[in-house]
Amino acid sequence: AQTIHQWPVAEIKAVGSPLSLGCTIKGKSSPNLYWYWQATGGTLQQLFYSITVGQVESVVQLNLSASRPKDDQFILSTEKLLLSHSGFYLCAWSLWGGVIETLYFGSGTRLTVL
Amino acid sequence: GDSVTQKEGLVTLTEGLPVMLNCTYQTIYSNAFLFWYVHYLNESPRLLLKSSTDNKRTEHQGFHATLHKSSSSFHLQKSSAQLSDSALYYCALSPRGRALIFGTGTTVSVSP
């Protein structure tokens, strides 16, 4: 069975500090990987997606970056947090069959920037 | 551009009453997929329903939805709400297969 593990569960960080969020998918080879973000009161926005190791596409510019160092790992990071980065971050995976049919989400990371 | 509209931010109802959550969308792509995702408290969002076929009813776990391309709608319905249906419901659109575009979500609160 496939599992998706996201870490940390929650973070409280200061403005200007660095951030690293991670996501690991087990039981599925070469998945498509995604980072989604939801600001308080907002909708889920796709930030990045990756269809293979080493390749990441940015969808929305939020002064964040993402990397896929391994087939099963997706990292979201920034060197300098902004207040506007607060929110709920979700990692997700899907299989690419010509069209996204189903996204499988992790449990998310709640980020508070003070 | 592509977009999804969920007009109701919060729906409160009594157990046993019918539920209808509205979803309309905008896209130029005729073969777009529409989805309903449900997010229960302290769980991950998960797929509830999906469809790309015009005028075909899709059902799962007592919920159903029919994609109507003529009106660009994909409303979610259930005949009788249960307490366990309390959750956040997202309508989503996949216009070209690369990204899901989510609506703002509708919180459903079911009381006894």
Side-chain angles (χ1 to χ4, degrees):
Chain A
Q2 304 85 24
T3 59
I4 178 168
H5 174 59
Q6 240 186 286
W7 73 93
V9 172
E11 280 267 44
I12 300 175
K13 303 278 279 186
V15 170
S17 63
L19 174 76
S20 181
L21 305 181
C23 173
T24 300
I25 293 85
K26 296 297 183 188
K28 185 60 66 178
S29 64
S30 304
N32 300 317
L33 298 177
Y34 309 85
W35 278 111
Y36 278 83
W37 170 69
Q38 183 180 31
T40 304
T43 188
L44 284 169
Q45 272 189 290
Q46 189 182 79
L47 300 178
F48 298 94
Y49 71 89
S50 170
I51 61 174
T52 191
V53 174
Q55 285 189 5
V56 177
E57 298 291 331
S58 173
V59 178
V60 173
Q61 276 299 327
L62 281 180
N63 292 312
L64 295 168
S65 60
S67 64
R68 186 170 179 177
K70 302 179 189 177
D71 186 54
D72 63 354
Q73 196 174 71
F74 208 20
I75 307 295
L76 183 70
S77 61
T78 183
E79 292 186 4
K80 214 170 183 182
L81 278 166
L82 307 172
L83 284 173
S84 57
H85 287 138
S86 291
F88 191 54
Y89 290 83
L90 282 163
C91 179
W93 69 270
S94 76
L95 293 178
W96 176 254
V99 65
I100 296 174
E101 293 220 2
T102 303
L103 278 180
Y104 299 91
F105 288 94
S107 53
T109 296
R110 177 76 56 190
L111 174 66
T112 304
V113 182
L114 302 173
Chain B
D2 304 312
S3 65
V4 176
T5 300
Q6 292 180 254
K7 288 189 176 176
E8 307 106 350
L10 173 66
V11 170
T12 57
L13 64 154
T14 305
E15 192 178 17
L17 291 181
V19 184
M20 179 161 167
L21 307 184
N22 287 298
C23 173
T24 56
Y25 65 92
Q26 197 168 15
T27 182
I28 62 171
Y29 299 97
S30 58
N31 293 327
F33 268 78
L34 270 295
F35 306 81
W36 277 101
Y37 279 81
V38 58
H39 192 179
Y40 297 104
L41 192 63
N42 298 323
E43 294 184 15
S44 308
R46 64 172 185 258
L47 180 68
L48 181 59
L49 291 173
K50 65 183 179 187
S51 180
S52 63
T53 306
D54 198 14
N55 297 317
K56 183 181 176 183
R57 177 172 162 139
T58 302
E59 297 190 41
H60 186 61
Q61 293 184 330
F63 288 91
H64 63 92
T66 303
L67 177 59
H68 292 296
K69 293 187 180 182
S70 59
S71 57
S72 298
S73 66
F74 191 55
H75 306 320
L76 182 68
Q77 299 182 67
K78 189 176 184 183
S79 58
S80 176
Q82 298 175 297
L83 294 176
S84 57
D85 294 329
S86 295
L88 176 57
Y89 292 80
Y90 288 105
C91 184
L93 164 71
S94 179
R96 291 181 293 160
R98 283 243 180 237
L100 256 65
I101 298 163
F102 286 85
T104 49
T106 298
T107 298
V108 173
S109 176
V110 183
S111 56

